[in-house]
């Protein structure tokens, strides 16, 4: 018989009893103070530079105790204080406020020549002379102020950079509705004002629902003459779409047959300006609704005749873009996105005959991501740039399975040259130089041996040759070019690597000077730890799935930690943080005694087309099979990673995902915080949901619906909804509530008066944290309603 000594067994048997508890009052105090504890400890981190000439720029950087402004001369290879910080601070200080060189009350400024600077403080403009600093106010900040002096104070880059991806509000902003319903301003005129012809001899306008034109004489304009007669109140011409041909002989305009005008109605229960509730409503298109039908119509101003444009090539539009004339007036061009987002065409209508032909076409069996690529948000895969008056087109396409650039023949639609290629993606185009025939763009996944989501910046010739990587270092890069593009500042970091800022020459990418190298010494001494990057295989056993792991600062590998996943699986982007940041909501939540993670599973964007297509007609998937395998792979190497206790939280599409975790994967996820969820894609905004779920509405919508599957609920659920959510119809949450009640399910609900699209703000964060502490740690959170005689909350006694 084998004997085992007690001394070898006892430590493991007693481990749970002797280790400190998690979710204690001390953990809460530490989590609440986390931001203050780490603030200002990461130094020499530069913000975005501001070029003030082809060779000079300034930037703000973090220094002990605050920030400093630095002026750089690229030619001389020098950097120095942008001004005398101490003297400016002294000039601005007064009896009630004292500033120091590191705590100046502005983050942006503008040089006024070499003698002064201008900036804004508390909505007032200030001008300070530099030779012998004296500062005086010059008036209030105008609504539209010059770059570098207006707007609120920017956050410190080292303290509060968001590291959880763009907010759901930004990612789901209805950019298309804004574009279509807000009249554009052109040449200082609103769309409803008369539109002058290029030579100024005529003007056109929409009057009584029809297109009219009149001659502008030397003394008074002539009478308005109608060009159309079929416009009426139920199908008017659109003033916003009126466009003169460059030669002034023709006009084009949309005739619009309105679609559904669905109203989502709201009751604000607690308006700030009155006692009684207020009701309101807004137009809100939902999947399946009838859209406005926009039909382009040509007019010959000389003959006063309408020219019929054959609709055969655009019979069922989801959208038709504003018409654009060719420079030689031979034709008008517009883009047609077919309902269902599986056919996309650039069309051209002959100005003389109205005959339409296809310039180029995209087709997909799943979806075409039709939103315009956007450098600020990781969204959209549509880019078009006409060359030689449309005879060539720079075009973005996923036709080979990856998002790339093509040079297309604008007459035949044939591919003249695939400009970029390979198993990586073009993210957005920054510049097309038609003289040098070069394209400047950003992309990810091309650089071997690193996270495929890290953004790099490139240039390539129209013929696909001469690809230049301006940012070869491993990292997530942001580039700021001088106006003449002779120099650029490359700023890069990773979630676990401090930011670097470098000045380089464009011609050979040579390093002119290292501007800043982030110093984390004090931050690390304070207990800060970087999140861990982890990679595991997807459900196919081949594809890499990337995520990050946050541990509490008191992490002890002898403990077992519940796991919480921050989820946002919206297919419009990828969301795992890639750049350095000191603080985040995930870090604060982890401090209570959790491991908090974020993962990009199959179905999200910025990888291959096949990776993305998993979301097609199947938003309930949300990459869960990949996420669960990722968790399991991490747990296999980390015994303290307890996947028997897994929570999940998210907002908006993430709110849908979080509840979906409990409904569709209850054996893995046991606790969920679901805020502002679009729980049934038939209830949410049309543009976002038809993009991924398709059209017409079919049984796949119900298959992905949390409402339809509410009776499957297992585990603990907290739902949050703002009563004035104009992004996601609040009824989507309330219908889930109704279905849960009908199924006799137990859950928690937080309705926030007057709130919009939100997870509840600080109060919602507190409710979320307490919910996870209670259900995953089995500990009662602090009782914030318990007050002492003096009125202060008593500490939680545990």
């Amino acid at each position: 018989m084998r004997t085992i000594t007690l001394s070898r067994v006892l430590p493991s048997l007693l481990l749970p009893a002797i280790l400190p508890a998690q979710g204690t009052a001390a953990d809460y105090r530490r989590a609440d103070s986390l931001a203050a504890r780490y603030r200002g400890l990461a130094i020499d981190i530069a913000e975005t530079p501001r070029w003030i000439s082809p060779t000079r720029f300034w930037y703000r950087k973090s220094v002990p105790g605050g920030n400093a402004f630095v002026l750089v001369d690229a030619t001389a290879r020098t950097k120095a204080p942008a001004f005398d910080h101490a003297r400016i601070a002294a000039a601005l200080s007064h009896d009630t406020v004292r500033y120091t060189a590191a705590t100046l009350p502005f983050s942006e400024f503008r040089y006024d020549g070499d003698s002064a600077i201008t900036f804004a403080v508390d909505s007032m403009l200030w001008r300070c002379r530099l030779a012998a600093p004296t500062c005086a106010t010059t008036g209030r900040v105008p609504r539209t102020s010059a770059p570098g002096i207006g707007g609120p104070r920017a956050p410190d880059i080292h303290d509060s950079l968001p590291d959880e991806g763009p907010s759901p509000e930004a990612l789901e902003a209805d950019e298309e509705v804004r574009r279509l319903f807000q009249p554009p301003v052109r040449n200082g005129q609103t769309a409803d004002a008369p539109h002058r012809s290029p030579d100024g001899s005529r003007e056109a306008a929409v009057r009584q629902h029809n297109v009219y034109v009149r001659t502008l004489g030397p003394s008074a304009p002539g009478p308005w003459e109608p060009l159309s007669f079929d416009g009426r109140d139920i199908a008017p011409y659109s003033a916003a779409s009126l466009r003169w041909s460059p030669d002034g002989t023709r006009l084009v305009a949309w005739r619009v047959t309105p679609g559904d005008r669905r109203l989502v109605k709201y009751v604000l229960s607690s308006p700030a300006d009155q006692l009684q509730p207020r009701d309101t409503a807004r137009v809100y298109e939902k999947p399946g609704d009838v859209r406005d039908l926009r039909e382009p119509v040509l007019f010959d101003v000389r003959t006063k005749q309408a020219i019929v444009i054959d609709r055969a090539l655009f019979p069922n539009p989801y959208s038709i873009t504003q018409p654009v004339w060719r420079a030689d007036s031979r034709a008008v061009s517009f883009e047609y996105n077919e309902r269902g987002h599986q056919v996309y065409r650039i069309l051209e209508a002959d100005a003389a005959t109205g005959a339409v032909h296809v310039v180029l076409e995209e087709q997909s069996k799943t979806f075409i991501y039709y939103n315009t690529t956007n450098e600020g948000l990781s969204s959209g895969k549509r880019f078009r740039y006409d060359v030689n008056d449309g005879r060539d087109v720079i075009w973005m396409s996923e036709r080979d399975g990856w998002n790339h650039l093509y040079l297309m023949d604008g007459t035949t639609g044939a591919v003249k040259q695939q400009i970029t290629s390979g198993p990586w993606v073009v993210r957005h185009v920054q510049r097309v130089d038609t003289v040098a025939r070069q394209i400047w763009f950003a992309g990810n996944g091309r650089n071997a041996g690193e996270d495929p989501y890290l953004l790099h910046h490139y240039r390539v010739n129209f013929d696909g040759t001469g690809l230049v990587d301006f940012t070869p270092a491993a990292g997530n890069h942001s580039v700021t070019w001088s106006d003449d593009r002779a120099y650029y500042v490359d700023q890069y970091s990773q979630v676990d690597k401090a930011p670097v800022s470098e000045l380089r020459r464009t011609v050979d990418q040579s390093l002119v000077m290292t501007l800043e190298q982030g110093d984390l010494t004090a931050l690390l001494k304070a207990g800060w730890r970087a999140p861990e990057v982890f990679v595991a295989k997807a459900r196919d056993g081949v594809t890499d799935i990337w995520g990050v792991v946050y541990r509490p600062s008191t992490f002890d590998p002898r403990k077992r930690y519940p796991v919480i996943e921050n989820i946002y699986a919206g297919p419009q982007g990828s969301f795992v943080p890639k750049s350095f940041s000191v603080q985040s909501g995930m870090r604060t939540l982890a401090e209570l005694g959790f491991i908090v993670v974020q993962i990009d599973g199959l179905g999200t964007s910025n990888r291959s087309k096949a990776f993305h297509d998993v979301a097609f007609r199947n938003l309930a998937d949300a990459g869960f099979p990949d996420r669960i395998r990722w968790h399991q792979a991490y747990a296999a190497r980390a015994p303290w990673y307890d996947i028997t206790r897994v929570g999940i939280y998210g907002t908006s599409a993430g709110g849908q995902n979080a509840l979906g975790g409990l409904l569709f994967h209850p054996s893995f996820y046991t606790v969920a915080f679901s805020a502002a969820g679009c729980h049934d894609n038939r209830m949410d905004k049309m543009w976002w949901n038809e993009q991924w779920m398709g059209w017409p509405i079919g049984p796949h919508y119900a298959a992905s619906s949390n409402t339809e599957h509410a009776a499957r609920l297992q585990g603990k659920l907290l739902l949050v909804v703002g009563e004035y959510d104009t992004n996601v119809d609040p009824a989507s949450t309330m219908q889930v509530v109704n279905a849960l009640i009908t199924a006799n399910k137990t859950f928690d609900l937080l309705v926030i008066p007057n709130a919009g699209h939100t997870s509840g703000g600080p109060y919602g964060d507190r409710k979320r944290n307490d919910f996870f502490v209670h259900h995953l740690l089995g500990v009662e959170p602090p009782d914030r309603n318990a007050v002492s005689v003096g009125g202060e909350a008593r500490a939680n006694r545990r």
Side-chain angles (χ1 to χ4, degrees):
M1 177 181 292
R2 182 176 150 207
T3 59
I4 303 175
T5 62
L6 184 60
S7 62
R8 293 181 61 190
V9 175
L10 192 59
S12 61
L13 290 176
L14 298 181
L15 188 61
I18 63 175
L19 290 178
Q22 295 156 267
T24 66
D27 293 327
Y28 270 90
R29 287 193 296 270
R30 193 172 54 255
D32 290 343
S33 65
L34 210 60
R37 192 193 336 163
Y38 295 151
R39 181 173 297 123
L41 297 184
I43 62 172
D44 293 334
I45 296 179
E47 298 177 13
T48 303
R50 303 289 190 267
W51 287 90
I52 56 177
S53 78
T55 60
R56 297 169 74 230
F57 61 91
W58 65 265
Y59 61 89
R60 191 175 76 145
K61 73 167 188 172
S62 58
V63 297
N67 298 282
F69 296 85
V70 180
L71 178 65
V72 178
D73 188 311
T75 303
R77 299 188 180 189
T78 60
K79 65 176 186 174
F83 45 79
D84 190 324
H85 292 63
R87 294 175 72 179
I88 295 291
L92 290 175
S93 296
H94 49 82
D95 291 342
T96 59
V97 178
R98 306 297 298 176
Y99 299 110
T100 69
T103 62
L104 292 171
F106 56 91
S107 59
E108 302 271 351
F109 73 93
R110 183 187 64 201
Y111 280 110
D112 292 341
D114 293 324
S115 61
I117 60 172
T118 298
F119 51 85
V121 178
D122 296 332
S123 301
M124 296 298 294
L125 285 177
W126 286 78
R127 187 173 189 272
C128 293
R129 296 177 57 197
L130 297 179
T134 57
C135 298
T137 59
T138 61
R140 297 192 67 83
V141 176
R143 288 187 176 183
T144 304
S145 57
I149 61 171
R153 179 173 179 168
D156 289 348
I157 190 171
H158 55 291
D159 287 336
S160 55
L161 271 182
D163 70 346
E164 298 178 18
S167 69
E169 294 90 333
L171 288 161
E172 296 180 12
D174 199 338
E175 61 185 58
E176 181 181 37
V177 171
R178 288 201 308 270
R179 184 175 68 251
L180 294 179
F181 284 90
Q182 290 183 354
V185 176
R186 298 176 62 84
N187 300 323
Q189 293 182 315
T190 65
D192 292 329
H195 292 245
R196 287 200 172 190
S197 62
D199 64 2
S201 65
R202 297 184 180 93
E203 64 181 6
V206 171
R207 298 167 59 86
Q208 299 174 340
H209 314 303
N210 280 290
V211 177
Y212 282 72
V213 67
R214 66 179 177 182
T215 302
L216 298 175
S219 56
W224 286 107
E225 299 179 83
L227 296 183
S228 71
F229 299 90
D230 55 344
R232 53 194 189 280
D233 57 351
I234 61 171
Y237 281 86
S238 163
S241 65
L242 271 176
R243 300 288 189 277
W244 282 96
S245 62
D247 65 7
T249 63
R250 290 178 174 85
L251 280 163
V252 65
W254 277 340
R255 181 173 176 269
V256 182
T257 302
D260 293 341
R261 284 294 181 269
R262 180 191 296 275
L263 292 178
V264 171
K265 300 182 179 180
Y266 302 87
V267 174
L268 278 71
S269 64
S270 311
D273 60 343
Q274 65 184 47
L275 175 64
Q276 298 300 324
R278 175 182 292 117
D279 64 313
T280 185
R282 74 183 292 258
V283 175
Y284 189 106
E285 288 183 304
K286 294 188 177 183
D289 287 355
V290 177
R291 297 219 79 193
D292 289 358
L293 177 62
R294 292 171 168 83
E295 301 173 87
V297 180
L298 281 166
F299 300 96
D300 188 320
V301 177
R302 297 161 300 184
T303 64
K304 306 294 191 297
Q305 297 294 312
I307 303 168
V308 176
I309 297 179
D310 186 359
R311 291 189 54 226
L313 289 172
F314 52 101
N316 182 26
Y318 172 82
S319 64
I320 294 177
T321 64
Q322 294 278 16
V324 177
W325 282 97
R326 298 303 188 191
D328 62 4
S329 300
R330 70 183 187 277
V332 65
S333 171
F334 54 93
E335 297 177 26
Y336 164 69
N337 181 15
E338 190 160 282
R339 193 79 182 264
H341 310 303
Q342 294 179 315
V343 175
Y344 200 97
R345 294 180 179 130
I346 298 178
L347 300 172
E348 190 175 87
D350 184 272
T353 67
V356 180
H357 78 274
V358 176
V359 175
L360 62 87
E361 177 179 278
E362 292 286 337
Q363 292 197 25
S364 173
K365 293 181 179 179
T366 57
F367 52 76
I368 297 166
Y369 193 178
Y370 69 89
N371 283 15
T372 303
T373 179
N374 186 308
E375 188 168 357
L377 300 175
S378 55
S379 63
K381 294 186 179 178
R382 177 168 64 90
F383 177 81
R384 167 191 173 187
Y385 192 97
D386 288 355
V387 182
N388 298 329
D389 200 18
R391 292 172 176 84
D392 292 320
V393 181
I394 305 295
W395 182 246
M396 184 179 284
S397 172
E398 292 186 285
R399 60 182 60 195
D400 76 346
W402 300 84
N403 200 45
H404 282 300
L405 297 173
Y406 294 78
L407 180 63
M408 309 292 291
D409 189 309
T411 302
T412 67
V415 176
K416 297 180 74 170
Q417 178 67 55
Q418 182 166 353
I419 300 171
T420 61
S421 62
W424 55 281
V425 299
V426 173
R427 285 280 288 277
H428 48 259
V429 176
Q430 299 161 325
R431 184 188 188 197
V432 177
D433 184 340
T434 57
V435 176
R437 295 182 68 81
Q438 293 176 328
I439 303 168
W440 308 63
F441 68 95
N444 64 266
R446 182 178 178 274
N447 293 33
E450 67 177 35
D451 182 336
Y453 292 95
L454 297 179
L455 204 63
H456 290 265
H457 294 255
Y458 305 93
R459 186 186 65 209
V460 67
N461 297 325
F462 280 15
D463 64 4
T465 64
L467 182 67
V468 175
D469 184 354
F470 292 106
T471 56
N476 201 38
H477 292 259
S478 174
V479 168
T480 309
W481 303 92
S482 62
D483 288 345
D484 61 2
R485 297 219 164 203
Y487 294 95
Y488 62 98
V489 175
D490 178 17
Q491 296 174 284
Y492 59 95
S493 69
Q494 297 184 55
V495 291
D496 55 354
K497 292 180 175 59
V500 177
S501 184
E502 298 173 335
L503 174 63
R504 292 182 176 272
R505 283 192 183 86
T506 303
V507 65
D508 58 4
Q509 303 86 60
S510 60
L511 179 66
V512 177
M513 59 192 302
T514 297
L515 301 171
E516 304 295 341
Q517 168 69 62
D519 183 348
L520 309 184
T521 304
L523 185 65
L524 293 170
K525 285 182 178 179
W528 183 90
R529 64 171 70 231
E532 178 188 359
V533 178
F534 182 68
V535 187
K537 295 301 180 184
R539 68 192 79 174
D540 59 9
V542 176
T543 306
D544 284 339
I545 299 296
W546 290 74
V548 291
V549 181
Y550 289 82
R551 309 180 196 181
S553 64
T554 56
F555 174 76
D556 185 337
R558 299 173 299 167
K559 293 183 180 181
R560 293 272 289 170
Y561 290 88
V563 177
I564 299 175
E565 181 179 343
N566 172 17
I567 189 169
Y568 190 92
Q572 75 270 24
S574 54
F575 309 99
V576 172
K578 301 300 174 184
S579 296
F580 175 83
S581 177
V582 171
Q583 185 57 305
S584 77
M586 286 188 282
R587 186 181 298 280
T588 300
L589 179 56
E591 201 68 10
L592 296 177
F594 303 107
I595 304 298
V596 183
V597 306
Q598 191 171 9
I599 308 159
D600 280 320
L602 292 174
T604 50
S605 191
N606 301 323
R607 299 282 288 277
S608 69
K609 176 67 169 151
F611 191 105
H612 203 186
D613 279 348
V614 170
F616 179 59
R617 294 187 176 181
N618 188 24
L619 287 180
D621 181 278
F624 278 121
D626 318 302
R627 298 169 185 276
I628 293 171
R629 282 166 175 77
W630 188 96
H631 284 288
Q632 292 168 337
Y634 195 91
R637 63 190 289 275
W640 42 264
Y641 191 85
D642 187 358
I643 56 173
T644 68
R645 295 178 292 166
V646 182
I648 187 168
Y649 73 95
T651 300
S652 198
Q656 177 182 9
N657 304 147
L659 176 52
L662 295 190
L663 299 180
F664 302 113
H665 303 276
S667 63
F668 190 80
Y669 298 99
T670 59
V671 184
F673 174 91
S674 168
C678 39
H679 296 291
D680 188 309
N681 301 106
R682 296 167 293 189
M683 288 292 295
D684 193 28
K685 51 196 164 291
M686 176 192 290
W687 80 263
W688 195 89
N689 292 274
E690 284 194 11
Q691 167 71 90
W692 318 115
M693 294 295 287
W695 179 91
I697 306 303
H700 51 283
Y701 274 83
S704 284
S705 167
N706 289 345
T707 307
E708 296 280 352
H709 297 89
R712 301 172 59 169
L713 178 67
Q714 298 180 46
K716 305 300 181 181
L717 170 65
L718 171 56
L719 292 165
V720 178
V721 64
E723 68 177 3
Y724 189 53
D725 188 341
T726 58
N727 187 326
V728 174
D729 187 347
S732 186
T733 295
M734 300 312 293
Q735 288 181 1
V736 166
V737 168
N738 183 57
L740 290 169
I741 292 172
T742 300
N744 201 28
K745 294 293 181 176
T746 299
F747 63 98
D748 290 282
L749 172 66
L750 173 62
V751 179
I752 306 178
N754 300 340
H757 194 59
T758 180
S759 59
Y763 187 81
D765 290 346
R766 194 184 87 188
K767 292 288 288 185
R768 178 199 65 198
N769 296 353
D770 289 354
F771 196 72
F772 286 135
V773 165
H774 177 78
H775 290 293
L776 290 176
L777 293 176
V779 174
E780 283 304 308
D783 182 0
R784 295 176 178 84
N785 293 341
V787 295
S788 64
V789 175
E792 296 181 353
R794 290 197 298 266
N796 186 9
R797 297 184 178 94
R798 285 197 298 267

